[in-house]
Amino acid sequence: MRHIISVLVENKFGVLSRVAGLFSGRGYNIESLSVNTTHDPRFSVMTIVTSGDERIIEQIIKQLRKLINVIKVRDVTPMDHIEREMMLVKVHATSKTRPDIFNIVNTFRGKVVDITGESLIVEITGTDDKNKAFLKVLEPYGIIEVIKTGFVAIARGSKATPDYSKTS
């Protein structure tokens, strides 16, 4: 089963390497990874998408908590949350197919960010299901390239996904 793990870490060099090393050293796959600083520049949040049964996810979380510079680890999957991934999709487009592609982009609430004589680049943000559906609909036109940011996720409600109040 797919899990989204939010990891609050100190914003220091080498932390990403330690976390990635933990996954590779134990044979766990990272399906998606995104990292950026929080509103407090002393900390960063890693959003890691991985797969495994409950026992494997529990082991990953326990191992992450043992790492130096890791402050909080939380499996966001069972929480009521919002998740998004941004994609840039380059697709073949001729003057004949361009109107159809624009209609598809509008339907999926995407945005055309570049146009050439033979192609378009589309920016789209959404859940995994939405992004996959978008790619499937564009496939007949000839997808040239897809670049993704990796997922980010945030818990709904007034509390922070990782509890920052215990970090001060």
Side-chain angles (χ1 to χ4, degrees), residues 5-19:
I5 300 171
S6 179
V7 186
L8 180 66
V9 298
E10 293 177 292
N11 186 17
K12 293 183 175 177
F13 70 93
V15 176
L16 175 60
S17 176
R18 285 186 200 99
V19 170

Side-chain angles (χ1 to χ4, degrees), residues 122-138:
V122 179
E123 173 187 317
I124 189 156
T125 303
T127 63
D128 193 36
D129 288 342
K130 177 187 172 186
N131 292 347
K132 284 179 181 172
F134 180 73
L135 291 175
K136 189 171 184 170
V137 172
L138 274 189

Side-chain angles (χ1 to χ4, degrees), residues 10 15-16 19 21 26 34 37 54 73 75 80 86-88 95 98 100 109 111 124 136 154 168:
E10 293 177 292
V15 176
L16 175 60
V19 170
R26 299 207 168 38
S34 63
T37 55
E54 294 302 320
V73 181
D75 185 359
D80 189 15
M86 189 191 75
M87 296 191 310
L88 294 174
S95 58
R98 193 168 287 130
D100 292 342
R109 290 183 280 160
K111 188 167 123 184
I124 189 156
K136 189 171 184 170
I154 190 167
S168 302

Side-chain angles (χ1 to χ4, degrees), residues 30-145:
I30 295 175
E31 295 174 14
S32 167
L33 171 67
S34 63
V35 184
N36 211 332
T37 55
T38 66
H39 62 284
D40 183 337
R42 296 177 301 159
F43 307 107
S44 292
V45 170
M46 296 181 177
T47 305
I48 302 169
V49 178
T50 189
S51 292
D53 59 27
E54 294 302 320
R55 187 186 60 77
I56 289 172
I57 299 304
E58 187 180 313
Q59 283 301 310
I60 289 171
I61 290 172
K62 283 181 181 175
Q63 294 298 320
L64 285 169
R65 286 182 175 144
K66 290 179 183 176
L67 292 178
I68 297 172
N69 308 114
V70 170
I71 298 163
K72 293 279 179 188
V73 181
R74 197 164 208 182
D75 185 359
V76 179
T77 312
M79 304 169 75
D80 189 15
H81 67 278
I82 303 289
E83 63 180 81
R84 296 287 185 268
E85 181 180 49
M86 189 191 75
M87 296 191 310
L88 294 174
V89 182
K90 188 183 297 182
V91 61
H92 284 287
T94 63
S95 58
K96 189 176 176 182
T97 60
R98 193 168 287 130
D100 292 342
I101 296 172
F102 269 90
N103 283 336
I104 293 167
V105 170
N106 287 335
T107 300
F108 281 85
R109 290 183 280 160
K111 188 167 123 184
V112 174
V113 293
D114 187 60
I115 300 173
T116 68
E118 304 86 33
S119 67
L120 297 173
I121 297 177
V122 179
E123 173 187 317
I124 189 156
T125 303
T127 63
D128 193 36
D129 288 342
K130 177 187 172 186
N131 292 347
K132 284 179 181 172
F134 180 73
L135 291 175
K136 189 171 184 170
V137 172
L138 274 189
E139 223 171 57
Y141 297 96
I143 294 172
I144 300 168
E145 185 177 9

